[in-house]
Amino acid sequence: VDCTVTSRFAHTVMTSVALNRANTSQEIFFDVELPKTAFITNFSMEIEGQVYVGEVKEKEKAKQQYEKAVSSGQTAGLVKASGRKMEKFSVSVNVAASSNVTFILTYEELLQRKMGKYEILTRVKPKEPVQEFKIVADIYEPQGIAFVDAHATFLSNDLLPLVEKTVTDKKAHISFSPTLEQQRKCPGCDGTLIDGDFLINYDVNRAQSLGDIQVVNGYFVHFFAPPDLPRVPKNVVFVIDKSGSMGGRKIAQTREALLAILNDIHEEDHFGFVEFDDKIVPWKESLSKATTENVAEAIAYVKRIVDVGGTDINAAVLKGVDMLIKDKQANRLPERSVDMIILLTDGMPNSGESHLPKIQENVRSAIGGNMSLYCLGFGNNVDYAFLDVMSKQNNGVARRIYEASDAALQLQGFYDEVASPLLSEVDLRYPDNTVEFVTTNHFSQLFNGSEIVVAGRLADNDLDNFLVEVYGAINWNVVYPDEEYIFGDFTERLWAYLTIQQLLEKSKTGSSDEKGNATAKALDMSLRYSFVTPLTSMVVIKPETEDSTEAPLIANKLTEEQRQQAERVLDGDPHFMIELPDRNDSLCFNINDKPGTIFTLVRDTETGILVNGQIIGDKKIPPNGRINTYFWRFGIIHQALGVRLEVKRIIFTFFTSPSFFPTSVDLVVSKDRSLTVTLKDSVKFVILLHKVWKKHPYHQDYLGFYTLDTHLLSPSVHGLLGQFYHGIDYEVTDLRPGEVLEKPDATMFVKGHQLNVTRGWQRDFRRDVKNGENIPCWFIHNNGTGLIDGDERDYIVSGLFKTV
């Protein structure tokens, strides 16, 4: 991994060389991860002297090749979400015996300053010791380097001395290169210690009050983060969702975060709370100064916040805006202060005004550009795109809060980033006749520990006429760029990266014409500079093999909405959860197959009970290329009772009376979209209808299936679910960090197999059909291989009431 940083702009090249030592051809895999903030700029494979290079194309033009590959059963998408910060790039090729392959992936990003430092994150998961392993980073900062720290999540006492660091005034060199033996978990074993994140943090010197300007090859970049500014008092209203779906751990973590925030709040700040479900309840009608007495009173109040009803986001945010406006008008707040609203919600508006564009319009109109709105989306049921647009329309940002054990820390961490405003309404002005195509140069706030970056193109290279004026709460004079800092040619690509990022943001807000223009410009620049963005795709043609023709592979850039969709429970293929009450634990696995496939779920030859389920796919192929499948109908047979029952999604719509069914079957349909089927003197099956947003572009309604009273089935019961109804013996050992912080990996011994499993959650909807509850479970990968008897194909049947 070779990373070069020039003035915050990072250019990273990941190279992997693999030799096939076998006597036959083999599939060789290249699995790497890159930050989600980065753009892929190049990918190539060299096999037996032939080089295959990826080509960046307009996404729509790449789509036909992509859909053709997906429809033929190939996995065409190369990129998927990985944890909170990363994307995984995966590709495999068939390599002949004794041949080698070289993979090279290049990506670029502008490092963002947060909490007073920049971070270079490299995730490495080689899965086994590597003959030659090396991470190298070279940093060049003309302003001078203030400090550099390097560490890794996997560094042991033995590996720590292998991190080499050399720092001079303006340059830093960091390297980490353990030998094959040093990588091993134990002498002679195949396990590797190298598994996790390698992190480099640094900051630059900030002597100039007006920042640092660098000019090269006709482009300039201006970094602005003046040191030693006094913080500006802030007035913040916390708008807290306490609807029923926030119950349990979410509301407890919200209370925990708010208590920590209150304990750290600055005394010159003012604060308020608005709780909402389907009713709007402010703590007080006005904001309170953060005196010791008021904070103590607020702490007692926060401890009493509990979950109740619906979700009226519109009225709640408008109430917060109204409180700030009235307090300003009544001169109850400092004249020189910053106003902000922090909204925390975990769901969709379903009370009061629920039309999303109307809510955005109402909030934008009420705020009128006079305050900032920050939207925190808790979990996977929020419409992140809605929150993202609403915050950007109102000088703020949206942030996802992941449902995990550290959710309170995530909330507190976000607040810390915006807790100390230094400047408001900052304008960086450059002479009109000297510059063109300047990126955003007006900023609502500058927060302590962050940085403003502006880039543009010079109309000519005459620096004598180049001066900068900065207007904000404090005004300065002018600054001229120092010619000493003119070097390299990174500035143009930095300008392009920043411009594309800002155009993509504009494409979500503004009028339809503004959105269209921003999208067209962003696409043009993405193609011109070979950036894989949400508007482009990198197409890689895989070489032909004996078994297949050339196949296109597609690398896409995932949006935050697509990342969120990938994490939602219904976004996997049919989820199977095996509850094991005697062990107080659960096992989970997914089954991937093509739409239309029918699986045997329960088959008991002794009692004559059979349950089969058929899957359907998405309405159309989603942007990530992965068609999700769901159960949409079930066939239930009880031969001894003469029962044959078909349950489809639509049964919940038209079925009203069970009177025409025989007495051997009891059917109960409840208003919350569940059907309970009780076979006389035998098991109960509960089938739930999961409603998806009607206008969702890809997903559709689906059914969930649960079995009660499984002890009434015979010991010979089988099927994808039935085989587990009388328990299963397994052992879990070697708990270790996984790809995601809160989802550790472990080794499971089951049915004579040794499996790599992951601790995660599965959602159980029996008690709460709308939101479900998270059930911890051990997830078995690869279609449950090693856990289920045989292969998942063994459970496929030819009809809904067939056994073969």
Side-chain angles (χ1 to χ4, degrees), residues 265-528:
I265 201 162
H266 289 267
E267 190 166 350
E268 68 270 25
D269 290 346
H270 287 69
F271 67 95
F273 293 100
V274 175
E275 290 179 60
F276 74 96
D277 43 35
D278 48 358
K279 301 180 186 67
I280 312 304
V281 184
W283 174 45
K284 297 180 177 180
E285 285 297 328
S286 294
L287 280 75
S288 301
K289 193 169 192 293
T291 61
T292 305
E293 297 77 16
N294 287 339
V295 169
E297 190 183 345
I299 286 172
Y301 162 78
V302 165
K303 288 178 179 177
R304 297 193 299 271
I305 296 177
V306 293
D307 56 293
V308 195
T311 309
D312 190 347
I313 291 175
N314 180 72
V317 175
L318 294 182
K319 177 63 180 177
V321 174
D322 184 60
M323 287 167 61
L324 280 164
I325 289 172
K326 283 181 176 173
D327 279 8
K328 277 280 190 187
Q329 289 172 343
N331 296 320
R332 286 193 286 261
L333 302 174
E335 185 180 349
R336 184 174 173 264
S337 59
V338 170
D339 299 336
M340 63 177 74
I341 292 172
I342 298 179
L343 165 68
L344 172 68
T345 180
D346 79 328
M348 293 283 285
N350 58 14
S351 180
E353 179 59 65
S354 58
H355 184 52
L356 303 186
K358 182 63 177 173
I359 296 173
Q360 290 168 339
E361 180 188 328
N362 291 346
V363 170
R364 190 175 195 173
S365 173
I367 286 179
N370 296 318
M371 59 191 75
S372 296
L373 172 65
Y374 299 96
C375 297
L376 305 181
F378 203 147
N380 276 327
N381 292 326
V382 292
D383 187 327
Y384 181 79
F386 158 66
L387 297 180
D388 187 39
V389 169
M390 190 162 70
S391 58
K392 286 189 170 79
Q393 287 174 336
N394 296 286
N395 304 319
V397 294
R399 185 74 59 85
R400 291 182 59 201
I401 302 299
Y402 296 84
E403 263 186 82
S405 57
D406 68 338
L409 291 174
Q410 294 176 58
L411 290 166
Q412 195 180 342
F414 172 81
Y415 178 78
D416 289 344
E417 286 181 37
V418 299
S420 297
L422 303 178
L423 294 173
S424 58
E425 304 304 331
V426 183
D427 271 310
L428 294 95
R429 298 183 190 172
Y430 312 89
D432 293 339
N433 59 343
T434 308
V435 299
E436 55 192 5
F437 304 116
V438 175
T439 58
T440 299
N441 64 334
H442 174 83
F443 300 85
S444 300
Q445 279 106 19
L446 171 68
F447 294 105
N448 188 33
S450 67
E451 179 176 62
I452 285 172
V453 183
V454 180
R457 197 163 79 184
L458 297 181
D460 59 49
N461 278 329
D462 182 8
L463 296 183
D464 292 337
N465 296 322
F466 191 92
L467 55 87
V468 180
E469 296 175 276
V470 179
Y471 296 85
I474 301 173
N475 291 330
W476 286 281
N477 295 318
V478 301
V479 63
Y480 291 91
D482 190 332
E483 295 201 37
E484 175 193 345
Y485 293 159
I486 300 175
F487 62 92
D489 61 353
F490 76 97
T491 320
E492 183 177 356
R493 292 194 68 79
L494 185 158
W495 165 78
Y497 174 95
L498 197 55
T499 301
I500 292 168
Q501 292 277 32
Q502 292 174 359
L503 286 169
L504 290 170
E505 289 185 8
K506 285 179 185 172
S507 70
K508 298 177 186 176
T509 58
S511 67
S512 56
D513 283 350
E514 289 169 338
K515 290 178 183 177
N517 289 337
T519 301
K521 287 178 186 173
L523 172 59
D524 178 60
M525 291 189 67
S526 299
L527 292 170
R528 197 185 329 156

Side-chain angles (χ1 to χ4, degrees), residues 161-175:
L162 302 179
V163 178
E164 297 180 359
K165 185 172 76 171
T166 308
V167 184
T168 58
D169 180 26
K170 298 177 182 178
K171 293 181 180 178
H173 176 83
I174 299 99
S175 67

